[in-house]
Amino acid sequence: MKIGIIIVFHDNEKEMDTTFFIEQIKQTSNLELCLVNNNSKDNTFDLLREVKEECNNVSVVNVRKFKSDMSAVKAGARFMFNEFNLKHLGYVSTNMLNIKHHGLNELIKVITDNQDVILKYDMETLKKKQTLFQSLFSLLDYLKKLKKNNHFIKLQFQTNL
């Protein structure tokens, strides 16, 4: 069974390397990715469409009026729920990432490198939940709980002093 991953972008043109994204995403065969453009003012949406054109497991949703991160995630979730037979959806918002030292390429690499554990998402944690939005899970929180030894994941949870 496939699992969906929603990634929310907002004005990330400078951090995106579409060639790297495409190379990494092509290695994820059982993950369905939804790239949500949250009303970017730069060329982020065009770059996301380039990735979609090259990868058959990528969809792009364009949110035309800026929304909160969770509202943008929900827009992606509604799309994924309507288009695919997915029971579990992980999400990441680039606005909430600490990408100062490690760009978005590292996020895509973490997803690719950990796709096997993402696919084995613990179904027990969702048994009590009934609605689509209640079944959303934070991808980075999940990987952190599994104690994946990855510098990018550790960096996301460091506190700024």
Side-chain angles (χ1 to χ4, degrees), residues 47-78:
L47 297 177
L48 297 177
R49 287 192 307 192
E50 280 181 41
V51 172
K52 179 190 182 299
E53 288 174 14
E54 296 294 325
C55 302
N56 59 4
N57 61 332
V58 172
S59 302
V60 175
V61 172
N62 189 29
V63 177
R64 294 176 191 219
K65 184 178 178 189
F66 185 79
K67 298 184 180 290
S68 70
D69 288 332
M70 279 314 294
S71 292
V73 166
K74 288 179 180 181
R78 278 190 294 275

Side-chain angles (χ1 to χ4, degrees), residues 122-139:
D122 183 9
M123 309 303 177
E124 293 295 317
T125 60
L126 295 177
K127 279 192 176 177
K128 297 177 187 172
K129 299 179 180 181
Q130 297 173 351
T131 69
L132 169 69
F133 298 132
Q134 289 173 327
S135 67
L136 290 169
F137 66 94
S138 167
L139 182 63

Side-chain angles (χ1 to χ4, degrees), residues 100-115:
K100 184 177 180 181
H101 302 291
H102 296 279
L104 295 177
N105 291 346
E106 284 297 316
L107 170 64
I108 295 300
K109 184 151 178 48
V110 163
I111 292 170
T112 303
D113 291 348
N114 293 288
Q115 64 182 317

Side-chain angles (χ1 to χ4, degrees), residues 141-150 153-154:
D141 286 346
Y142 173 63
L143 293 174
K144 181 184 177 206
K145 285 179 189 173
L146 293 177
K147 301 192 184 329
K148 296 310 286 176
N149 188 16
N150 182 284
I153 295 170
K154 289 178 185 175

